[in-house]
Amino acid sequence: MNILVIAPSWVGDMVMSQSLYSELKKLHPKASITVLAPKWAKPILDRMPEVDESLEMPLTHGEFNVGKRLNIGKQLKRYKFTHAYILPNSAKSALIPFFARIPKRTGWKGEFRYGLLNDLRKDKRIFQYMVERYVALAYPTESMREKVKLEQCAKPNLVVDEENKQRTLTNLGLSLNKEAVGICPGAEFGPAKRWPDKHYAQVAQKLLEDGKQVWIFGSENDRGVGQLIRDALPESLKPFCVNLAGRTKLTEALDLLSVCKTVVSNDSGLMHISAAVGCNVVAIYGSSSPNYTPPLTHKLQIVHTSEECRPCFKRECPLGHLNCLNKLPPAKVIDAVNCFERKT
């Protein structure tokens, strides 16, 4: 088998897609897997041993441009792919394998994909979890329900680059004299996934008072919230809290997260990366649900409120109050962190 995978466009989904690649390699050890993905994803895919090659998708997220997709498909013909797995649900994501004339094109029914896919799976709702829906594509339609269960899916396991880790620690002046706890207060999806910075600050303060150090992770967009968390701390504790948001590449963040014993995170890509590098994960859910995209690890504590309106899966609170996040007390998150301490 010579496989092309059309990858998802979000960091967390990209991490979870490793479970499909693992399953394909288990079923077809000699298969070659190439992943067509956005440019930012290459460093993550390079940390997946199952992926033989990654190709850059030269189109932006949401860009249709059928002419470009036709040209990409024509260029991919030289690879002589035998199978394609299309993970996004859009029609445009199925165009490139169709134009490349890949003989078998597998994916879930989505918008206007009849004809574009010739191995069309009709009802993804028979699987509760996104990772199950990915892994199910590795099996024939008639056996996938029997073969695929969450607990049996291979968990993402990203390779940590020890040399890059040490180099990044040195370049950022980070010390390992204290146990490091990671905090990931951002979420690219939208504010309905972001626990308030004042709550994060209370958690950070308790961790620091307990003798730990805190590293705040995130993109450039999260630098401001990271600074708010640090600014809210007593002056005596600030030297042990480092705002790394916007200061690391994605793979540098990945390697630094592997240093952290525990990570406290919103439902975000960094949450899934933390799980995939072996951290204890305290996952905070607002508008989204752990019954769909949980971190794929046994070292997990999930916290959320019991508000009737959640999960709504919206980017912004449709009711304007964000009670699903605002009413989640820091004490509950601190207790979740301490659960790991009690287990050890």
Side-chain angles (χ1 to χ4, degrees):
M1 294 177 69
N2 188 13
I3 297 168
L4 175 70
V5 177
I6 307 298
S9 299
W10 295 94
V11 175
D13 297 351
M14 190 72 68
V15 173
M16 285 188 287
S17 73
Q18 188 182 12
S19 298
L20 169 62
Y21 314 147
S22 297
E23 200 71 16
L24 287 169
K25 285 289 191 178
K26 183 177 78 174
L27 295 172
H28 313 284
K30 295 183 179 180
S32 174
I33 298 177
T34 299
V35 180
L36 182 63
K39 182 177 181 179
W40 62 259
K42 179 174 172 50
I44 294 291
L45 292 168
D46 287 346
R47 301 299 186 90
M48 298 181 182
E50 303 85 358
V51 175
D52 296 283
E53 185 177 0
S54 62
L55 301 174
E56 181 184 338
M57 168 68 86
L59 294 164
T60 59
H61 180 54
E63 183 181 355
F64 190 83
N65 201 322
V66 67
K68 269 191 180 181
R69 291 178 188 273
L70 175 60
N71 288 334
I72 296 167
K74 288 179 177 178
Q75 292 169 19
L76 290 179
K77 285 182 180 180
R78 63 187 175 89
Y79 284 85
K80 296 181 170 29
F81 291 116
T82 59
H83 294 70
Y85 295 89
I86 297 88
L87 301 189
N89 292 317
S90 63
K92 61 182 178 290
S93 63
L95 284 172
I96 290 173
F98 176 77
F99 290 142
R101 295 295 183 261
I102 297 173
K104 189 169 185 178
R105 304 180 299 278
T106 301
W108 289 100
K109 178 184 175 183
E111 53 178 25
F112 309 110
R113 283 148 70 99
Y114 287 103
L116 298 177
L117 303 180
N118 55 16
D119 179 18
L120 187 68
R121 311 301 172 88
K122 292 187 177 179
D123 188 6
K124 63 187 176 185
R125 292 173 298 179
I126 62 175
F127 295 104
Q128 177 177 331
Y129 297 97
M130 178 177 284
V131 69
E132 292 176 324
R133 297 173 184 181
Y134 285 168
V135 172
L137 298 178
Y139 289 92
T141 302
E142 57 272 14
S143 63
M144 62 183 182
R145 291 191 71 173
E146 173 192 347
K147 296 287 188 180
V148 178
K149 305 293 181 187
L150 178 65
E151 58 273 13
Q152 297 167 350
C153 294
K155 293 176 174 55
N157 184 17
L158 299 173
V159 174
V160 174
D161 184 328
E162 293 296 330
E163 289 186 7
N164 187 59
K165 181 176 75 176
Q166 293 300 327
R167 185 167 53 249
T168 305
L169 286 167
T170 301
N171 291 343
L172 293 172
L174 298 173
S175 166
L176 299 181
N177 292 337
K178 292 174 176 280
E179 179 185 314
V181 177
I183 285 180
C184 305
E188 291 296 321
F189 182 76
K193 279 190 174 185
R194 298 187 196 122
W195 200 42
D197 57 88
K198 62 181 181 180
H199 290 355
Y200 268 113
Q202 291 185 52
V203 172
Q205 181 169 337
K206 181 64 169 64
L207 292 167
L208 294 165
E209 289 171 348
D210 288 344
K212 299 174 175 59
Q213 61 177 322
V214 170
W215 297 346
I216 301 172
F217 293 89
S219 68
E220 182 64 38
N221 293 335
D222 305 316
R223 185 191 292 269
V225 69
Q227 196 59 44
L228 288 173
I229 293 168
R230 190 175 185 276
D231 288 346
L233 299 171
E235 288 297 324
S236 61
L237 297 178
K238 286 181 181 178
F240 307 104
C241 178
V242 184
N243 183 12
L244 298 172
R247 297 175 60 192
T248 61
K249 298 176 182 177
L250 189 55
T251 48
E252 291 172 336
L254 182 157
D255 291 330
L256 290 180
L257 283 165
S258 75
V259 177
C260 298
K261 182 177 180 181
T262 301
V263 172
V264 181
S265 179
N266 299 329
D267 177 14
S268 67
L270 290 178
M271 176 190 75
H272 290 282
I273 288 176
S274 300
V277 295
C279 304
N280 297 327
V281 177
V282 176
I284 299 170
Y285 281 81
S287 67
S288 57
S289 172
N291 294 327
Y292 179 48
T293 54
L296 300 174
T297 175
H298 294 304
K299 299 192 289 185
L300 176 64
Q301 293 289 323
I302 292 173
V303 288
H304 56 75
T305 65
S306 55
E307 294 293 303
E308 291 184 2
C309 54
R310 72 157 304 275
C312 68
F313 298 101
K314 302 294 185 183
R315 292 175 183 265
E316 299 187 12
C317 177
L319 301 177
H321 53 54
L322 280 173
N323 283 348
C324 65
L325 293 166
N326 292 327
K327 289 189 175 182
L328 179 63
K332 191 171 181 178
V333 174
I334 292 168
D335 185 61
V337 174
N338 290 336
C339 277
F340 295 118
E341 300 291 333
R342 291 193 289 270
K343 288 179 180 178
T344 57

